[in-house]
Amino acid sequence: MTGNIAPFAGDTIDDFALWAEEIRQTRLDRVAQPARIRLFDGNWIERGEAVERLDGSGMTLKLNDTGSIVVELPIDREDRRGTYLAHWALDQDARSTTNIHIIVEKDGARIGGRAAPDNGVTLKTGGDHGDRVVLTFLEDTEELKNVHVAANPFLPVSLIQQPKVQFLIGRADWVLPASLAMNLARLQVFNFDMNKDILDPANWLGGMWAQSQIVVKPRPMRNSVAPVTIMTGTIKQSWWEIAAPILEDAELQIVTRRFLKGDPEPWPGAGTSWRQGTLFVELVDKSGFRTGTSLGGNLATGLARSIASVTTNRVEDRYDLLTGAPVDDGKYRLPGKLGTAPEMPYVTYIDGDNSGISGFELVRGAGGACRITAGGESMPGVNELGEAVVGYAGDVLGDNINIAGYGVGSLGSILNAFLMPIYKNSVLAYTSVPLIDRAAQQGWGHALETACTNVTQAYTPAAFMDLRRRRRETDPKTAFTFTVQNAIPWIIGDNGFGHWWLGDRSGATNRYLGAQVHVQRCTELTLPLDGGGDWEAKFGDVRAHQDPLEKAFGLVATAMGAFNQMGVA
């Protein structure tokens, strides 16, 4: 899928220069073409191509979250033929199916979606553009929010679920697709052998997924550098809800693509007999943070490469600078194919008068307060000790008081009832930690203190996790946004048609910061669909700065919580 580019057939340097210019012009002509938009009914039967689109049509794609597609079509009662699609979409009762699907194709990317269930079709009359029908679609990532995680996908949910919680441990890029495939099998297919790898196509007997709406692309369990994770879930949680924080930590990306008749095989050996509209899902690593990638640099010395390695505790990430190591640039030697290799990003937008970018916005934050306080409840044993001391003192006091020859008796319970609201959670109830390094970086003038909103017992793992979570929320941040004209000089596109796409790393400079290059992953792409307009891209750190101790506690807490629900802890 590299476009209509003929291989080089010349003999001289001049021939090569002409060939390269033809390639560039071919790509520019393709970039200049507007997005192709087709509408389908609920059975994925094509109903037409939306050619005439009004201002207000646009598409926003988000990394690992549901994007949106809005298409505004003119509608005219006197020209039903010319505005057929608008009439077809509006007259729901006349359609054989109520759902409407969309496919948007632009520069190698294919984005699918389904009309929003609440406001998918809206009729608006009057205004500058006359009467129009506004179609609102949710991008295909939304489909994964409607697949829930059964504790045991191979047992009837309505009859029995043992164990009570689905519990999977392994590499993130296998655990998440495996859980999704198991639950898709529960919803769409039957008779799968639990002792086999559900992501191995050799185990897919008898056209197992032939009629499935959603199919997970197969992948082997081996050769993975993704972090180990624990995934737990019940039928009340969607797969996306559970997967989102794991994807963020592992820097994996959900990639979806609809199959249409005439497409090549989704993967070697898959065949082409799939139903039109079948949604293929896979997780890809566009980050490269565990195999080596560039996180920044400058125009003079280039982009520095670093790698995140895992320490012996299997949870802590350490970034090491790679110097002198050979770089495999084979992915950039594929004829006619564009793209960004995760381990060696290169796209850099240089801010200037003729750079193709405008509206550049760089956001940098020095971080928050330099002291954090957590807690709210006394550390374990303090309240109990206070209760015991007051009770014992009251009993001794009561036993030694005589009134008219009669002993008063034990007063411990009475004193505790009166004094406990006063002394409870007042001793050793808070953990307050100064952030010395942050204060040194910020200078003498800095915000003094912030507090965690959760109420936890002081000096416990939960309190320290709360402290680290609050520290991470107030850590320094860097992000940038700009509007870019396509193909000046870099082409935005997917599947070999563009230099970069959603999720890829790209760099940018700012005229006021000299040669410094900021490299971040693209987290959001927006494109007008009315036939004109430029791309708007947002870049930022998609991976939460998670403390290693918090990560360890989190994994343990996840496991123990699952065991508790299962009834074994």
Side-chain angles (χ1 to χ4, degrees):
M1 301 186 64
T2 57
N4 299 320
I5 297 176
F8 176 61
D11 299 317
T12 66
I13 294 296
D14 292 336
D15 292 338
F16 182 82
L18 290 174
W19 175 74
E21 180 60 29
E22 290 177 0
I23 291 178
R24 177 68 178 173
Q25 191 58 49
T26 298
R27 289 170 174 163
L28 291 177
D29 292 342
R30 185 178 62 227
V31 166
Q33 296 176 1
R36 184 186 184 191
I37 300 179
R38 288 179 283 174
L39 298 183
F40 300 77
D41 64 13
N43 291 323
W44 278 95
I45 298 174
E46 185 173 352
R47 293 303 180 181
E49 183 172 344
V51 177
E52 185 178 357
R53 306 185 290 268
L54 302 176
D55 293 344
S57 300
M59 174 177 66
T60 298
L61 305 178
K62 298 180 179 180
L63 184 65
N64 291 338
D65 204 350
T66 304
S68 62
I69 306 169
V70 177
V71 179
E72 294 197 9
L73 302 175
I75 187 169
D76 190 341
R77 189 170 56 179
E78 305 299 329
D79 185 16
R80 295 184 65 91
R81 183 180 181 87
T83 58
Y84 156 74
L85 277 180
H87 284 279
W88 172 79
L90 182 63
D91 194 354
Q92 178 173 303
D93 296 330
R95 300 199 305 266
S96 58
T97 58
T98 56
N99 273 340
I100 302 176
H101 296 97
I102 190 172
I103 289 291
V104 179
E105 292 178 302
K106 174 65 175 169
D107 298 328
R110 177 181 290 170
I111 300 96
R114 179 179 297 139
D118 298 328
N119 61 338
V121 182
T122 304
L123 172 65
K124 295 184 178 181
T125 59
D128 296 336
H129 298 289
D131 299 344
R132 60 199 185 279
V133 172
V134 181
L135 305 179
T136 303
F137 298 88
L138 300 179
E139 181 263 333
D140 278 333
T141 305
E142 182 71 14
E143 300 290 326
L144 306 180
K145 298 181 180 180
N146 293 297
V147 178
H148 284 240
V149 177
N152 189 335
F154 304 102
L155 293 177
V157 173
S158 302
L159 181 63
I160 183 174
Q161 284 291 279
Q162 282 293 339
K164 299 177 182 178
V165 178
Q166 185 178 90
F167 185 96
L168 295 176
I169 182 171
R171 299 285 183 180
D173 56 357
W174 186 89
V175 165
L176 293 178
S179 175
L180 179 60
M182 291 178 193
N183 284 280
L184 289 173
R186 170 179 64 86
L187 295 169
Q188 302 177 128
V189 299
F190 305 93
N191 301 325
F192 182 78
D193 188 346
M194 291 179 60
N195 295 318
K196 296 181 178 179
D197 182 1
I198 198 168
L199 297 184
D200 185 352
N203 299 325
W204 298 356
L205 303 177
M208 175 177 171
W209 300 97
Q211 298 298 315
S212 299
Q213 295 185 47
I214 306 174
V215 177
V216 180
K217 280 192 174 183
R219 59 156 293 117
M221 297 178 65
R222 58 187 181 276
N223 301 329
S224 172
V225 296
V228 174
T229 190
I230 295 175
M231 179 178 181
T232 66
T234 66
I235 196 65
K236 293 185 178 181
Q237 298 170 286
S238 73
W239 180 87
W240 181 89
E241 178 186 351
I242 299 171
I246 300 176
L247 293 170
E248 179 187 60
D249 180 60
E251 287 210 31
L252 296 172
Q253 180 176 349
I254 300 172
V255 175
T256 61
R257 189 174 180 89
R258 292 282 182 179
F259 179 85
L260 300 180
K261 294 300 182 182
D263 283 353
E265 294 181 318
W267 66 85
T272 57
S273 59
W274 303 91
R275 283 195 60 162
Q276 175 148 294
T278 300
L279 179 64
F280 290 99
V281 180
E282 64 177 327
L283 299 185
V284 299
D285 178 11
K286 284 192 171 186
S287 168
F289 83 110
R290 287 187 178 273
T291 56
T293 188
S294 295
L295 303 177
N298 65 68
L299 295 177
T301 60
L303 300 180
R305 296 185 71 242
S306 58
I307 185 171
S309 58
V310 182
T311 58
T312 54
N313 61 14
R314 302 298 299 173
V315 293
E316 185 176 3
D317 294 328
R318 182 182 64 245
Y319 285 89
D320 300 319
L321 190 65
L322 291 177
T323 57
V327 178
D328 181 12
D329 60 354
K331 294 182 180 179
Y332 292 127
R333 296 181 179 273
L334 301 177
K337 186 171 184 178
L338 303 177
T340 293
E343 62 272 17
M344 194 168 57
Y346 63 97
V347 171
T348 301
Y349 286 95
I350 302 175
D351 188 19
D353 295 333
N354 299 306
S355 62
I357 65 175
S358 61
F360 186 91
E361 180 179 310
L362 175 65
V363 179
R364 308 187 77 179
C370 296
R371 176 180 288 272
I372 302 177
T373 301
E377 297 179 356
S378 296
M379 67 177 292
V382 172
N383 288 334
E384 292 78 3
L385 179 61
E387 183 179 2
V389 170
V390 171
Y392 178 75
D395 290 344
V396 171
L397 179 63
D399 290 341
N400 287 278
I401 295 178
N402 285 292
I403 299 177
Y406 295 96
V408 174
S410 300
L411 296 176
S413 298
I414 298 174
L415 289 177
N416 260 321
F418 176 73
L419 295 176
M420 182 174 289
I422 299 175
Y423 69 74
K424 184 178 181 181
N425 295 330
S426 63
V427 179
L428 296 178
Y430 295 94
T431 306
S432 188
V433 177
L435 304 180
I436 300 174
D437 289 342
R438 181 183 292 182
Q441 293 173 359
Q442 291 186 0
W444 175 73
H446 57 259
L448 296 177
E449 186 178 27
T450 186
C452 304
T453 56
N454 296 332
V455 177
T456 56
Q457 282 189 302
Y459 303 99
T460 62
F464 284 104
M465 288 173 61
D466 225 17
L467 287 169
R468 290 173 170 83
R469 186 179 299 111
R470 183 59 180 156
R471 185 213 66 200
R472 193 175 68 250
E473 291 172 352
T474 58
D475 270 346
K477 295 178 177 63
T478 297
F480 55 89
T481 302
F482 55 74
T483 300
V484 58
Q485 297 179 41
N486 205 352
I488 304 180
W490 309 111
I491 297 175
I492 304 173
D494 198 10
N495 291 306
F497 284 81
H499 294 100
W500 64 275
W501 185 247
L502 182 71
D504 288 328
R505 291 191 187 275
S506 298
T509 68
N510 181 269
R511 67 188 70 184
Y512 300 106
L513 294 177
Q516 184 177 0
V517 179
H518 305 280
V519 178
Q520 298 283 5
R521 292 182 66 194
C522 178
T523 59
E524 187 174 311
L525 274 175
T526 300
L527 175 68
L529 295 177
D530 54 9
D534 299 324
W535 289 92
E536 181 177 331
K538 292 184 179 180
F539 296 82
D541 187 3
V542 302
R543 190 167 186 264
H545 300 286
Q546 190 170 22
D547 184 271
L549 184 58
E550 179 187 348
K551 191 186 295 184
F553 284 146
L555 287 175
V556 173
T558 299
M560 295 308 296
F563 290 149
N564 183 60
Q565 286 183 281
M566 293 178 189
V568 297

